[in-house]
Amino acid sequence: MSVKENLQHISSTLTEGVELVAVSKTKPNALIEEAYASGQRHFGENKVQELVDKYEALPKDIQWHLIGHLQTNKVKYISPFVHLIHAVDSRKLTKEIQKRASQNERTIDILVQIRIAKEETKFGLPFDEAEELLKDLRENKYPNVRVVGLMGMATNTDNETQITNEFSALKSFYDTQQELNQNFKTLSMGMSGDYKLAMQCGSTMVRVGSSIFGARNYT
Ligand SMILES: *Cc1c(COP(=O)(O)O)cnc(C)c1O
C-alpha cells in the first residue's frame, strides 16, 4: 500500500480528537512529501540532525515533533522551530530548553516523559520524580517552557493486559496532573503496534511510523 493509503486507513481508525504524528525517522523526504500531499502536517523524528535537515528541506508549515531522547547540547539546533518536544525527563534538559527558548524569544511546548514500561530503559521519569518536575514547571521556574502534557511508551510485548495496565496508569496520573495544570491537553501514547490500545486508555496523540511509511531497517 502507498503512504497515502496507509494514512487514510490509519485516520479512519483514530478516535475523534486524537492527533496523528507521522513518525518519519530514517525515511526519505520523498515519502514525507507524499504524506504532506495527503494533508499530513505533524511529523516526528528522534534524531536532532535528521530533524534539522528535514526541516530545512521541506515545507515550512510542517509541525515538527522531537519524539526521542534529547541531549542537552543539541537543544539549540531545534529551539528556533520545534513544535513539541515529547521526551523531557530531567531538570537539566528543561533548564536548557528554557535558555534556548528565551534566546529565540519564544515559548517551547514540551511533554514530560514518564517511564511506564517494565523493561530496562534509561528514559523517562518515575511518577514521583515527574511530580517534582511538574511542580517546578507549574511554579513558573521555566517561564518560556510550557508543559502541555505527558508522554509514555509501553513495554514492547504481545501481552495486551500488560500494555493496557501501563497505559492506564499513565492516564490516571495524567488526569491528576491535568487538574493542577490548565495547559494540559496532550497525552502522547501509542505507536504502530499499540495505538489502538492506547486510544482505548485515553491517548490524545499517537506516534505512528512503520504502519505509514513501512518497516525500518534500523532505528
Ligand atoms: C520510532 C518511534 C515511534 C514509532 O514507532 P512505530 O512502531 O514505527 O510506529 C513512536 N515513538 C517513538 C518515541 C519512537 O522512537
Side-chain angles (χ1 to χ4, degrees), residues 1-12:
M1 292 224 285
S2 68
V3 165
K4 185 181 177 185
E5 287 167 324
N6 291 339
L7 269 174
Q8 278 169 349
H9 170 73
I10 289 164
S11 299
S12 75

Side-chain angles (χ1 to χ4, degrees), residues 23 25 46 67-68 151 153 190-193 207-211 216 219:
V23 176
K25 62 189 186 193
N46 68 342
I67 59 170
M151 180 272 215
M153 292 169 84
M191 328 195 340
S192 292
R207 311 174 310 270
V208 179
S210 42
S211 293
R216 290 176 298 273
T219 55

Side-chain angles (χ1 to χ4, degrees), residues 197-216:
L197 288 176
M199 290 190 303
Q200 284 166 18
C201 295
S203 169
T204 71
M205 183 177 277
V206 294
R207 311 174 310 270
V208 179
S210 42
S211 293
I212 297 172
F213 297 109
R216 290 176 298 273

Side-chain angles (χ1 to χ4, degrees), residues 137-168:
L137 283 155
R138 253 192 338 267
E139 289 171 353
N140 218 22
K141 290 189 179 150
Y142 310 97
N144 296 68
V145 179
R146 179 170 56 197
V147 59
V148 296
L150 306 174
M151 180 272 215
M153 292 169 84
T155 303
N156 185 8
T157 171
D158 292 335
N159 184 339
E160 296 200 347
T161 309
Q162 183 180 351
I163 296 171
T164 301
N165 288 342
E166 292 173 4
F167 282 150
S168 299

Side-chain angles (χ1 to χ4, degrees), residues 32-44:
I32 300 176
E33 279 164 353
E34 227 177 294
Y36 181 89
S38 314
Q40 181 67 30
R41 290 295 178 271
H42 290 264
F43 291 88

